[in-house]
Amino acid sequence: MSQRDLKGLFSALLVSFDEQGNINEKGLRQIIRYNIDVNHMDGLYVGGSTGENFMLSTDEKKRIFEIAKDEAKDSLTLIAQVGSVNLKESVELAKFVTDLGYDAISAVTPFYYKFTFDEIKNYYNTIIGAVDNRMIIYSIPFLTGVDMSLSQFGELFSNPKIVGVKFTQADFYLLERIRKTFPDKLIYAGFDEMLLPATVLGVDGAIGSTYNINGRRGRQIFELAKAQKITEALEVQHVTNDLITDILDNGLYGTIKLLLQEAGVDAGYCREPMKKYTPEMVARAKEIYKKYF
C-alpha cells in the first residue's frame, strides 16, 4: 500500500470526450499535464462527478484510470473514485486501481435508492476490505440525498482503512465537529467557492473541479489562509467566486473545458445527455477567459 501523503490540493479530473462521446485520450493526457505543469496540483481525484463518471461503462472507467496513472506516473498523488450503485463494480475497480498503484481510493455514498446507514456502512467496509489501500468517503448530499451525522461518520471512521472524507456540503458546523472529533482523519473541502472558510476550520486539503483551470488561485487561498493572512486570502476568494459564478451561469463542466481550450488544452466535449456547446456558450467562455486569465 502506498504511503504517499494524501494532503493538499487535488483537481477533480475532467475527462476529454470527442463529439461522439468517446474518450479523447490525447486531450485527457493534456488535461493531466496542465494540472501537473501549470496548476502544480498536489494530486488528482480521478473518476469523480467532474469526470462524468456516472455516465461511463466499467471498461471506460478503467481506461481513464490507466491513462491518468500512465501520464502522471509518480509525479503527484492519485485518488481513484470507485463508488457506484453497483457494489460488485466498485470492488472490481478498487482492485484494478490498487494494482495500478493508486495512492488511495474514494467512494461516493450509494445513491438513488434510500439505503439505510447499515447498508452504507457495509458498502464502504466491503469495498475497502477487498484491497490493501486507503479509503476516502465522498459525501455530497446535494447530489446523492445522503446526509450522515457525526456519529455515523464516527462509525465509518472506526475502520482504520477509512482515513478521511471529501466533504462537499455547506454544513460547516458539521465540518467543524468532524475536525474536532477526528483530528487524525483527513478532511477535504469539496466546494471550491468555500475554500477559505473550510481552510480556516482546519481541512487538510481540497478536491475541486475548478482547480483544473483555476488551481493557482486555489493554491493562493489555501496557503494564505493556513498562514492566517485572511484578508489577502479573501481577496483571492472574491475573484475566484466571481469566476465560479460566471462559469456556473454558462454551464459548469462545459465552460471549464472551454476555458482549458483557450489555454491551449484539447479538453474536448461533455458526454450526452450533457448539452452540446452553443455558439453563445463558446463566445461567453472566451470572454470569461480574457477576464480572469
Side-chain angles (χ1 to χ4, degrees):
M1 182 172 68
S2 169
Q3 294 304 311
R4 188 192 286 266
D5 186 14
L6 295 176
K7 296 181 179 180
L9 291 184
F10 290 69
S11 282
L13 186 66
L14 288 159
V15 174
S16 179
F17 298 99
D18 65 22
E19 287 193 79
Q20 288 71 48
N22 302 307
I23 296 167
N24 172 10
E25 179 173 334
K26 179 183 175 185
L28 175 55
R29 288 180 181 275
Q30 287 183 22
I31 295 170
I32 294 164
R33 289 253 55 94
Y34 193 84
N35 273 298
I36 295 169
D37 301 333
V38 179
N39 290 324
H40 302 298
M41 289 289 101
D42 297 306
L44 298 174
Y45 186 85
V46 187
S49 312
T50 306
E52 301 169 55
N53 173 78
F54 304 110
M55 298 183 284
L56 304 178
S57 70
T58 305
D59 285 343
E60 287 172 322
K61 294 175 186 181
K62 287 181 175 180
R63 186 64 191 132
I64 290 164
F65 287 135
E66 284 178 332
I67 293 167
K69 179 61 179 177
D70 181 66
E71 188 62 42
K73 301 208 166 40
D74 294 318
S75 61
L76 76 180
T77 303
L78 294 175
I79 300 174
Q81 197 293 124
V82 302
S84 168
V85 182
N86 181 345
L87 182 54
K88 287 183 181 295
E89 181 193 43
S90 294
V91 170
E92 181 181 340
L93 291 174
K95 291 177 178 177
F96 183 78
V97 297
T98 299
D99 288 343
L100 281 176
Y102 272 67
D103 300 291
I105 61 174
S106 181
V108 69
T109 47
F111 52 89
Y112 188 81
Y113 301 101
K114 300 296 183 183
F115 296 104
T116 67
F117 178 70
D118 283 343
E119 290 169 332
I120 292 169
K121 184 177 176 181
N122 177 67
Y123 161 91
Y124 280 110
N125 288 336
T126 299
I127 297 170
I128 196 57
V131 292
D132 181 19
N133 213 327
R134 297 171 285 182
M135 166 68 80
I136 308 294
I137 299 161
Y138 181 12
S139 179
I140 183 165
F142 82 101
L143 290 182
T144 62
V146 179
D147 272 299
M148 292 189 293
S149 67
L150 182 66
S151 63
Q152 288 172 335
F153 276 110
E155 283 192 54
L156 296 178
F157 286 152
S158 67
N159 184 332
K161 292 168 75 176
I162 299 179
V163 300
V165 57
K166 181 187 176 191
F167 190 87
T168 308
Q169 54 192 110
D171 186 348
F172 276 26
Y173 172 54
L174 178 59
L175 172 60
E176 182 273 337
R177 293 288 85 190
I178 294 172
R179 175 73 296 159
K180 183 174 185 295
T181 308
F182 306 106
D184 297 329
K185 297 295 183 180
L186 296 164
I187 305 175
Y188 302 91
F191 275 133
D192 309 3
E193 62 270 33
M194 293 186 254
L195 177 57
L196 171 54
T199 306
V200 171
L201 286 172
V203 296
D204 300 285
I207 300 168
S209 56
T210 66
Y211 303 140
N212 283 279
I213 187 67
N214 197 48
R216 285 170 287 185
R217 287 194 185 96
R219 172 75 63 197
Q220 287 179 299
I221 295 165
F222 189 57
E223 298 299 338
L224 286 168
K226 287 199 297 182
Q228 299 185 348
K229 296 180 179 179
I230 304 304
T231 302
E232 294 95 320
L234 185 56
E235 289 174 5
V236 185
Q237 187 75 71
H238 284 324
V239 176
T240 289
N241 287 7
D242 288 343
L243 168 62
I244 290 172
T245 299
D246 287 342
I247 288 172
L248 290 173
D249 287 345
N250 201 48
L252 176 59
Y253 303 128
T255 301
I256 300 173
K257 289 182 179 184
L258 288 166
L259 294 175
L260 283 168
Q261 301 275 25
E262 292 300 304
V265 177
D266 181 14
Y269 301 86
C270 294
R271 173 172 278 200
E272 290 184 303
M274 290 191 181
K275 68 180 180 182
K276 293 188 178 297
Y277 305 154
T278 63
E280 294 79 13
M281 185 179 177
V282 173
R284 179 64 183 135
K286 289 179 182 295
E287 292 173 359
I288 294 169
Y289 187 82
K290 288 177 183 176
K291 182 177 177 182
Y292 294 99
F293 298 102

